[in-house]
Amino acid sequence: NAERVADAYRETVMSVPHYADDYGDSYADSVSVEFGESVAVALESGFDESTKRGVLSAARDSRAERVRFVSALDAERESLADVRAFVVETLDELGEYRTDRLDEGFGALDARRARLEVLADRCDEAAAARQADIRANHATLGLPERFPDLPTYLYQSLDERHPALATLAELGDVVASTRRRVERRMYE
């Protein structure tokens, strides 16, 4: 019976607390998006064996998509943890470059400048790794190139579409300005 299927769908899929806020669509629209237009039309006209096979096939496809999405979310979490660890470690090290600690001789300052160049390279490498993670997630999800990447989807409510990359860019700027400060002290 089509009505029993509709009731079951509303009581399960559409009953989650955030459904109205996040989706706000009707039963027919939801089924169409979830299972495809042909299944939605078939469910409207009745629930026969052919419709049942179509729903089961679409449900398997939908489940596979969700498994890919969860995998992509897990990879995003790991990528963000890597960025966070790198940022914290780099900021801790930059704490050693406060102005009051730059009263050393030329050789010591030159060593600090060289280390800051290494940190600048590591910032670039971390940003490249983050971009590679974003591209890998895009491929994992099987999205066409024209579709937005996962960070754009996840962080759309933030000012930055790619907050981790923005943070790495800011960190790179801090490293560069610290290196310039050390270089000025070297030639005073």
Side-chain angles (χ1 to χ4, degrees):
N1 175 329
E3 193 55 40
R4 283 191 4 222
V5 170
D7 289 344
Y9 189 87
R10 286 185 188 102
E11 291 170 7
T12 56
V13 174
M14 297 178 76
S15 70
V16 294
H18 62 85
Y19 190 88
D21 292 338
D22 288 347
Y23 304 103
D25 54 3
S26 67
Y27 162 75
D29 290 339
S30 180
V31 169
S32 181
V33 167
E34 189 69 32
F35 298 112
E37 189 66 31
S38 61
V39 171
V41 169
L43 283 174
E44 292 274 327
S45 61
F47 196 78
D48 58 14
E49 193 59 35
S50 175
T51 304
K52 180 179 177 181
R53 283 192 304 275
V55 169
L56 289 174
S57 175
R60 281 190 293 275
D61 292 346
S62 182
R63 183 181 186 287
E65 285 178 24
R66 281 172 174 72
V67 167
R68 280 194 305 274
F69 188 66
V70 167
S71 176
L73 289 174
D74 289 343
E76 175 70 0
R77 183 175 14 92
E78 290 173 22
S79 180
L80 291 176
D82 291 346
V83 169
R84 182 185 186 285
F86 173 74
V87 168
V88 167
E89 174 187 315
T90 303
L91 288 174
D92 285 347
E93 185 171 343
L94 286 174
E96 299 174 15
Y97 293 85
R98 292 191 317 260
T99 304
D100 61 329
R101 292 194 178 177
L102 297 180
D103 293 333
E104 303 164 327
F106 184 86
L109 289 171
D110 190 42
R112 287 185 182 269
R113 181 196 51 77
R115 176 61 185 155
L116 287 163
E117 287 177 4
V118 169
L119 286 179
D121 289 343
R122 289 188 63 215
C123 285
D124 291 343
E125 291 165 5
R130 175 67 180 149
Q131 288 173 325
D133 289 345
I134 291 169
R135 282 191 300 278
N137 255 345
H138 202 266
T140 295
L141 290 170
L143 298 172
E145 199 59 39
R146 68 182 187 280
F147 276 59
D149 55 34
L150 188 60
T152 299
Y153 172 74
L154 293 175
Y155 312 123
Q156 59 189 311
S157 65
L158 302 177
D159 292 337
E160 292 288 341
R161 278 186 20 188
H162 294 91
L165 284 173
T167 298
L168 290 169
E170 289 176 32
L171 182 61
D173 291 344
V174 170
V175 169
S177 68
T178 303
R179 187 183 72 232
R180 287 191 299 273
R181 199 170 73 240
V182 168
E183 289 169 346
R184 280 192 301 274
R185 292 299 293 253
M186 287 173 67
Y187 298 107
E188 288 181 346

